[in-house]
Amino acid sequence: MSRDYKRRNNSSAHRESRIPGWVWLFTGSILGAFVMFLFYLKDIPKQPATLITEFNSNDTDKSEAPQIDETKDEDGVTKPRFVFYELLKENEVVVDTTPIDMPEANEVKEDIEYMLQAGSFRNAADADRLRAQLILQNLNATVEKKLVRDQPWHRVMVGPFKTRAQASKARGTLASMDIDSIMSKQTVGGG
């Protein structure tokens, strides 16, 4: 019986000393993050001060390189003094500032209007029915009678609109009613 008791104690002691899985997961995550951080530090570029020395050490024309005069301050520490401020003043560029006449994007041409054709019917009653539906949707709709190959056609026209944006908004309303439309642009004096 004492052997069975020792086995039970050993197995329970074995179970109590086990480390939970979340501890291993947490430790592994922290270790992985640290390794990633080390790889990140390896890829960081060098300090910008090395760029100036690399530029000066190239085999380029020395007149194009930035001029640096080194001066010593009171403590004897060498400090660079840049001369490019004077170089910039010498290379000043004069720009022509006369205004250019450009048409404004929001400028509306007064002699153009937009119309939408919402339908074309042989029967005048069908055209009037569609016109009534469009008027109920607060659209300015009219019916025009045109001869095509000596046959009368009744076009349902929506508009006129002064801007293309207004015509596009009305076209969206027609599309929401499942009505395809054709946009046309015409001069105010013409038809």
Side-chain angles (χ1 to χ4, degrees), residues 3 16 32 43 54 67 95 105 114-115 123 145 164:
R3 287 186 181 170
E16 291 175 8
D43 293 336
E54 289 173 6
Q67 302 294 324
V95 178
Y114 298 92
M115 296 289 291
N123 188 355
K145 184 177 180 180
R164 188 177 187 95

Side-chain angles (χ1 to χ4, degrees), residues 85-132:
Y85 298 109
E86 288 84 22
L87 292 175
L88 289 176
K89 288 178 185 175
E90 293 172 4
N91 295 329
E92 185 175 341
V93 177
V94 179
V95 178
D96 184 24
T97 58
T98 56
I100 299 172
D101 293 331
M102 298 281 295
E104 292 186 27
N106 296 334
E107 194 173 292
V108 178
K109 295 183 180 179
E110 296 176 9
D111 58 342
I112 294 177
E113 64 184 13
Y114 298 92
M115 296 289 291
L116 295 174
Q117 180 178 334
S120 182
F121 303 94
R122 286 190 180 180
N123 188 355
D126 293 335
D128 284 333
R129 194 174 302 117
L130 179 60
R131 177 180 168 268

Side-chain angles (χ1 to χ4, degrees), residues 120-122 144-148 151-155:
S120 182
F121 303 94
R122 286 190 180 180
E144 294 179 355
K145 184 177 180 180
K146 297 282 185 174
L147 288 177
V148 179
Q151 301 231 346
W153 282 86
H154 304 276
R155 292 182 184 172

Side-chain angles (χ1 to χ4, degrees), residues 26-140:
F26 181 74
T27 306
S29 299
I30 296 296
L31 184 62
F34 181 70
V35 169
M36 294 298 289
F37 178 70
L38 291 178
F39 278 113
Y40 170 75
L41 288 179
K42 184 183 89 172
D43 293 336
I44 292 180
K46 294 181 180 181
Q47 295 292 331
T50 59
L51 294 176
I52 294 174
T53 57
E54 289 173 6
F55 182 80
N56 288 338
S57 66
N58 286 345
D59 293 333
T60 59
D61 185 18
K62 294 296 180 183
S63 64
E64 294 178 12
Q67 302 294 324
I68 301 175
D69 288 341
E70 293 184 354
T71 58
K72 293 188 178 189
D73 63 354
E74 302 160 356
D75 298 333
V77 177
T78 304
K79 290 188 173 182
R81 187 176 70 81
F82 296 95
V83 208
F84 63 87
Y85 298 109
E86 288 84 22
L87 292 175
L88 289 176
K89 288 178 185 175
E90 293 172 4
N91 295 329
E92 185 175 341
V93 177
V94 179
V95 178
D96 184 24
T97 58
T98 56
I100 299 172
D101 293 331
M102 298 281 295
E104 292 186 27
N106 296 334
E107 194 173 292
V108 178
K109 295 183 180 179
E110 296 176 9
D111 58 342
I112 294 177
E113 64 184 13
Y114 298 92
M115 296 289 291
L116 295 174
Q117 180 178 334
S120 182
F121 303 94
R122 286 190 180 180
N123 188 355
D126 293 335
D128 284 333
R129 194 174 302 117
L130 179 60
R131 177 180 168 268
Q133 287 178 351
L134 297 177
I135 289 174
L136 289 174
Q137 291 294 322
N138 203 19
L139 294 171
N140 185 17

Side-chain angles (χ1 to χ4, degrees), residues 114 116 161 163-174 183:
Y114 298 92
L116 295 174
F161 301 101
T163 64
R164 188 177 187 95
Q166 291 173 340
S168 295
K169 183 178 178 183
R171 196 171 196 186
T173 303
L174 291 172
M183 186 183 298

